[in-house]
């Protein structure tokens, strides 16, 4: 079946859907990306236009297809130890200041395919051993969460992993798995992956000492940013840290937070 190129009206429908469901605002420059990511789904569903595919999603008759489309449109590229200064902050400032033996919880709140969450877990395992810490990792996409739970990655995505961590926490693929690595099972078991939509009321996830919310707010409107950050801050302990992407800012979003380093903010103690 020949799929017709996506037009402006059809793209606007998907823009509206993403804002409504996920709080994500797509610029007009993303029109080609949307068309490319969804083209095979039109063929799979045997519809010829993006308008027909949107109508299928909007009808609510196929919730599985709704999730597939959402997964395709919300997946972001990531890699291990991205924006390394954040991990330097944890290693050199945050962890040394903590009371020895105090339990620690960290949330990777838009974890994509899991590299960020496993980077956090490697650092905590290195500095704190096997006890006294937990990592929650969440994303809106069920597809990337499935990949994250598997912990299996191509080697070219692992260039930033410190050599010591690579040897201690990863298994190098051999034979048919050459060119890949597997995060070792004990570390994988320490990360709790859950599907959570940050644009909705949060489930009961407990409290956290550090929350990573990186490279996702660039897709949110100002109003959505404020609501998402407010939900997350309700789970952040007083004195805890919220870490956003280097290209992001909380100016006008949560001005009561104290900036302590570029893109790192602290919640007041009172």
């Amino acid at each position: 079946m020949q799929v017709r190129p996506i037009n402006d009206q059809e793209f606007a429908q998907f823009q509206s859907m993403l804002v409504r469901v996920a709080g994500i605002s797509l610029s007009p420059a993303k029109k080609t990306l949307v068309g490319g990511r969804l083209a095979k789904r039109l063929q799979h569903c045997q519809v010829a236009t993006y308008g027909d595919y949107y109508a299928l999603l909007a009808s609510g008759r196929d919730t599985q297809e709704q999730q597939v489309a959402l997964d395709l449109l919300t997946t972001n590229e990531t890699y291990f130890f991205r924006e390394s200064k954040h991990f330097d902050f944890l290693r050199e400032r945050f962890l040394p200041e903590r009371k020895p033996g105090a339990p620690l919880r960290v949330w990777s709140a838009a974890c994509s395919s899991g590299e960020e969450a496993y980077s956090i877990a490697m650092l905590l395992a290195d500095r704190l051993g096997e006890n006294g810490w937990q990592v929650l990792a969440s994303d809106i996409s069920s597809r990337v969460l499935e990949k994250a739970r598997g912990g299996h990655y191509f080697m070219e995505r692992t260039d930033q992993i410190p050599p010591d961590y690579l040897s201690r926490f990863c298994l190098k693929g051999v034979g048919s798995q050459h060119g890949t690595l597997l995060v070792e099972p004990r570390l994988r078991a320490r990360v709790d992956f859950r599907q959570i939509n940050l644009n909705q009321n949060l489930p009961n996830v407990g409290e956290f000492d550090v929350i990573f919310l990186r490279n996702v707010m660039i897709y949110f409107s100002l109003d959505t940013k404020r609501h998402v950050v407010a939900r997350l801050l309700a789970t952040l302990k007083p004195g805890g840290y919220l870490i956003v992407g280097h290209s992001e800012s909380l100016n006008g979003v949560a001005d009561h937070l104290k900036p302590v380093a570029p893109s790192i903010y602290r919640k007041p103690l009172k």
Side-chain angles (χ1 to χ4, degrees), residues 23-179:
I24 294 175
S25 301
L26 294 179
S27 72
K30 299 294 185 181
K31 176 182 171 184
T32 300
L33 180 145
V34 169
R37 289 193 175 183
L38 295 181
K40 289 184 178 180
R41 300 312 303 171
L42 270 68
Q43 295 176 333
H44 174 82
C45 295
Q46 297 184 323
V47 294
T49 72
Y50 288 86
D52 290 339
Y53 182 65
Y54 176 80
L56 170 66
L57 299 180
S59 71
R61 295 194 305 269
D62 192 337
T63 56
Q64 183 175 356
E65 187 62 31
Q66 288 176 332
Q67 184 63 57
V68 171
L70 187 62
D71 289 350
L72 290 170
L73 294 177
T74 57
T75 301
N76 297 313
E77 188 72 14
T78 186
Y79 52 87
F80 288 92
F81 291 93
R82 182 179 184 179
E83 299 182 352
S84 61
K85 289 188 181 301
H86 292 152
F87 297 96
D88 294 340
F89 173 83
L90 292 184
R91 183 187 302 108
E92 298 167 6
R93 178 170 170 180
F94 172 71
L95 291 177
E97 291 177 352
R98 288 185 55 76
K99 180 180 178 181
L104 170 63
R105 298 190 75 220
V106 181
W107 184 4
S108 171
C111 71
S112 190
S113 45
E115 289 91 329
E116 177 180 271
Y118 287 130
S119 299
I120 296 167
M122 289 180 195
L123 190 154
L124 297 182
D126 174 49
R127 293 304 167 115
L128 302 178
E130 295 191 1
N131 301 315
W133 58 270
Q134 297 177 335
V135 176
L136 171 66
S138 68
D139 201 272
I140 194 174
S141 168
S142 59
R143 183 172 63 92
V144 296
L145 287 171
E146 182 178 356
K147 175 177 175 56
R149 291 187 184 101
H152 191 210
Y153 302 95
F154 288 109
M155 289 295 294
E156 55 262 28
R157 301 174 69 85
T158 66
D159 291 345
Q160 302 302 315
I161 300 179
D164 177 49
Y165 287 8
L166 199 60
S167 63
R168 292 167 57 194
F169 302 121
C170 303
L171 305 173
K172 187 175 182 180
V174 297
S176 63
Q177 301 299 323
H178 177 73

Side-chain angles (χ1 to χ4, degrees), residues 18-24 197-201 224 227-228 231:
L18 275 184
V19 168
R20 183 175 66 254
V21 175
I24 294 175
N197 186 346
L198 302 179
N199 198 45
Q200 298 177 352
N201 291 333
T224 300
H227 284 94
V228 167
R231 292 185 192 102

